[in-house]
Amino acid sequence: MTLDTVGVLHRSRVIFIEGGQGVRSHLNTLGIHVGDCLEVVERAPFRGPVLVQVNGTRLALGRGVARRVRVEPAETFRPVAGSVITEAG
Amino acid sequence: MKFLLAGQPNSGKSTIFNAIAGYRSATANFPGSSVSYTLSRALIHGREVDVVDLPGMYSLTSSSPEAGEAVHFVAEEDWDLIINVLDASRLERSLELTLQLLQLGRPMVVALNMMDEAERHGMKVDVEALSEELGVPVVATIGRRGQGLKALFRVALQTAHCAAPTGTGCFDKEVATAVAKVRVLLEEAGYKSRIPMALTATKVLELDPHFRAKVLEAAPETEAAIDAIIADLQEVHGWSADQVVSGCRHAMAHTIWEKVGELGRPKVGWRERVDRLLLHPVTGGPLMVVILAGVFFLVFGVGQRLEAPLVAWFDALQAMIEGRFPLETLVGSLLSGIFMGVAGGLTIVLPYLLPFLLALAVLEDSGYLPRMAYILDNLMHRIGLHGKSVLPLILGYGCSVPAIMATRILESRRDRRITAALAAFIPCSARTIVIYGLVAAYLGPLWALGIYVLNLVVIMVIGRVLSRFLEGRSPGLILEIPNLAVPSPETLLAKTWLSLKEFLIIAWPVLVVSSLVLSLLEWAGAGGVVNQALAPLTVWTLGLPVAVGMTLIFGILRKELTLVMLVQALGTNQLDEVMTTVQLVVFTLFVVFYVPCVATVAAMARELGWKDTAWISGLTVVVALVLSLAGRLVFTVI
């Protein structure tokens, strides 16, 4: 599933970010990486942007951007240090 | 000696800068509020030091244009020490930039700023442990209250003479190996740069276009080998090299955070509750309308109360002067010119400008603007842009020049062009004065509100048309929403004063001189020639008094001039006695829409180039003509 379809207050984990290097690095530097857990805080009506809480910051992501972030539900999962690397290896 | 203030956007660099340099760098509560650097010489513990306030950057990767200037400065200019300002409440993410700055291998001090915010979030940070992890001094600060700044600069002075830090943390094995390989490759190719080789190598692996271009320019033969290393890295990890490197840095930052930080329960105060309402799908939109309408009526109410007694007083004074020096004499004419310029600035411009600038400062410092971007994202998509364009557009209500500069926060050139064009149509404070001083004052505030609404509709239509014709992609909204903040009265006043000073020092003298020139021209009878030449536009097309011709010419210098010049040209402060309702509306419409002032044109040329500036300026004239003509027709028919 993609981030734009996640309901409010659901936690999910990023599994893949689609799109070019520009969008990817932008999301990376703002705190969204593959493996990160995030929570959808609010969804604007009429297909507006979604508001997510990730790594202690709040980001507004347009629906188009959110559609590029593929996630899986993460109700119980808590990320541990270095999870990005272990998963990758 | 030169210190750089570097850090991620909205971490409080400008606040710290202003604390030591006086209020020179405009601060605001949204990411990207400083788009260019500000330099100041300050006396720190008895030593003269140049301090540079850089625009915020999330990373040393130079892909976004706003960060471009900061990255360039850090990489290319001469400096002695970096003060890396961190937002303690977003420590984990802020550390990712710190890790990159450490790779520069130059003297550095960390200012762990916004400690009060971190506390509100229930976070505790062990400052000493952080210093040990990073291998550089760390000083806890609260920039807004000036806490810790003395200590910060004392440590900075001491550190500037010390050896540079060596520890840069360690990447995981594959990344470290890849960095080492690229490094060897570059060294063998004889690549020389002021930037440490390890950092260049890391950035090349991160697919940074700037660093890649530089390396390939100096050593084109390395391309194939570099691409092979990148491909290897991707193969091992299963995703693109840039994500591997940045994910690795993320993990390093996370590890440091786990060692030095502690997360307790965040406090939920009234700010969080208000914020929920402001962003709520149901209440967010209506609240925004209420807030903006509130600002509008507040500015009008305060302005009107200030204006009325001032105008009455100056009218009496004017009658007295004219009694003594009749207008027909040269002396009388000169005096009247100077008087009108001074009085116009004081009685018409200031009463509305002052409350307006204050209100805008409150919107900026409270952090409401990014929330507007969030709420309006959807609407902005309808005109082919996205929510981030809201920030420059709102700034446009203050002045078009910073608005056009603020388009740098947009990622794509197409969005920057469209937004800059639209920002030129937003009535800046100078045009606001014309709207308030002419339409609201003589016809009532609802008429003025009508002009604002019409302006927005026109902007939306133009936006839609432009986004059809201008090619390119719009990446969509990615924007950090900062915490709501209560603006401090000192900052608000300092900020309003900074904008007001601009008016007092630059605009007011222009106003007085122009008024003087106008009255001289009238005295010599030359004004009539210009007015006659413009008559086909002013009289025949728009149905305005012939005397307004000159005012429109002066309006290109500064838009406030049109109003003051109008008073001067028609020789009265009671404009409704000499102009009809239709004329007032038509004149205002034309002034609001036609070519923005010289300063805006110059700013636009700098940001977009002359070609774009030319067609945008042309477009404004066409739109102004069409609208004022339509206004005239509609009113005549009714």
Side-chain angles (χ1 to χ4, degrees), chain B residues 460-508:
Chain B
M460 293 204 59
V461 172
I462 296 173
R464 258 200 103 107
V465 173
L466 286 184
S467 60
R468 281 275 162 80
F469 286 104
L470 292 186
E471 290 188 1
R473 270 161 23 94
S474 172
L477 176 71
I478 306 177
L479 181 66
E480 186 180 354
I481 308 284
N483 295 317
L484 275 188
V486 182
S488 84
E490 298 99 63
T491 319
L492 285 182
L493 288 179
K495 191 171 182 156
T496 309
W497 173 239
L498 189 72
S499 321
L500 204 61
K501 215 162 68 180
E502 222 266 334
F503 168 76
L504 293 178
I505 294 175
I506 300 172
W508 212 354

Side-chain angles (χ1 to χ4, degrees), chain B residues 349-379:
Chain B
V349 178
L350 276 185
Y352 293 109
L353 193 61
L354 197 67
F356 178 79
L357 291 175
L358 256 174
L360 196 67
V362 172
L363 281 185
E364 281 180 28
D365 281 15
S366 60
Y368 190 60
L369 293 187
R371 286 161 175 82
M372 285 182 69
Y374 168 77
I375 295 167
L376 290 171
D377 181 53
N378 200 10
L379 192 71

Side-chain angles (χ1 to χ4, degrees), chain B residues 382-405:
Chain B
R382 301 262 159 94
I383 60 172
L385 293 170
H386 63 80
K388 230 176 175 177
S389 295
V390 170
L391 297 175
L393 291 181
I394 298 281
L395 292 183
Y397 283 99
C399 174
S400 310
V401 175
I404 284 165
M405 283 174 68

Side-chain angles (χ1 to χ4, degrees), chain A residues 24 26 28 36 46 58 60 62, chain B residues 246 250 275 378 477 479 481:
Chain A
R24 268 200 323 258
H26 198 168
N28 282 172
D36 279 349
F46 311 115
R58 257 186 316 172
Chain B
S246 108
H250 178 51
D275 206 17
N378 200 10
L477 176 71
L479 181 66
I481 308 284

Side-chain angles (χ1 to χ4, degrees), chain B residues 251-410:
Chain B
M252 283 159 70
H254 187 76
T255 314
I256 297 178
W257 158 241
E258 295 248 298
K259 283 187 194 160
V260 305
E262 204 179 307
L263 196 57
R265 279 183 74 81
K267 286 184 198 152
V268 178
W270 63 268
R271 278 199 261 166
E272 283 69 23
R273 292 198 191 96
V274 170
D275 206 17
R276 286 220 58 190
L277 287 178
L278 290 178
L279 292 167
H280 193 272
V282 178
T283 53
L287 273 176
M288 187 183 71
V289 174
V290 170
I291 290 172
L292 294 183
V295 167
F296 175 84
F297 283 105
L298 196 75
V299 171
F300 176 71
V302 174
Q304 213 179 21
R305 261 178 212 121
L306 291 176
E307 186 191 10
L310 281 172
V311 167
W313 191 74
F314 270 94
D315 275 355
L317 200 64
Q318 186 189 7
M320 204 185 77
I321 294 177
E322 275 179 20
R324 214 167 278 176
F325 304 96
L327 273 178
E328 295 75 36
T329 63
L330 178 59
V331 179
S333 179
L334 281 175
L335 271 179
S336 141
I338 293 172
F339 180 82
M340 285 288 195
V342 175
L346 206 62
T347 60
I348 306 176
V349 178
L350 276 185
Y352 293 109
L353 193 61
L354 197 67
F356 178 79
L357 291 175
L358 256 174
L360 196 67
V362 172
L363 281 185
E364 281 180 28
D365 281 15
S366 60
Y368 190 60
L369 293 187
R371 286 161 175 82
M372 285 182 69
Y374 168 77
I375 295 167
L376 290 171
D377 181 53
N378 200 10
L379 192 71
M380 298 305 284
H381 273 291
R382 301 262 159 94
I383 60 172
L385 293 170
H386 63 80
K388 230 176 175 177
S389 295
V390 170
L391 297 175
L393 291 181
I394 298 281
L395 292 183
Y397 283 99
C399 174
S400 310
V401 175
I404 284 165
M405 283 174 68
T407 56
R408 285 187 209 166
I409 65 171
L410 299 168

Side-chain angles (χ1 to χ4, degrees), chain B residues 71 112 119 174 408 415 505 516:
Chain B
V71 175
L112 193 58
E119 211 165 289
E174 280 95 9
R408 285 187 209 166
D415 289 359
I505 294 175
L516 189 66

Side-chain angles (χ1 to χ4, degrees), chain A residues 17 21 23-31 33-34 36 42-51 55-62 65 68 80-82 84-85 88, chain B residues 58-59 63 90 92-93 96 172 206-207 236-237 239-240 242-243 246 250-251 254 275-276 279-281 371 374 377-378 388 411 473 475-482:
Chain A
I17 300 173
Q21 191 249 344
V23 174
R24 268 200 323 258
S25 75
H26 198 168
L27 286 174
N28 282 172
T29 52
L30 278 162
H33 307 75
V34 172
D36 279 349
E42 202 73 86
R43 286 157 59 95
F46 311 115
R47 303 201 45 74
V50 291
L51 199 63
N55 290 326
T57 58
R58 257 186 316 172
L59 303 178
L61 302 180
V65 178
R68 291 172 167 190
V80 289
V84 180
I85 297 154
Chain B
Y58 284 108
S59 141
S63 54
R90 290 150 162 61
E92 186 181 336
R93 195 196 65 196
E96 292 183 30
D172 83 302
E206 267 186 276
L207 314 179
V236 174
H237 279 261
W239 54 64
S240 61
D242 58 312
Q243 288 195 89
S246 108
H250 178 51
H254 187 76
D275 206 17
R276 286 220 58 190
L279 292 167
H280 193 272
R371 286 161 175 82
Y374 168 77
D377 181 53
N378 200 10
K388 230 176 175 177
E411 297 84 8
R473 270 161 23 94
L477 176 71
I478 306 177
L479 181 66
E480 186 180 354
I481 308 284

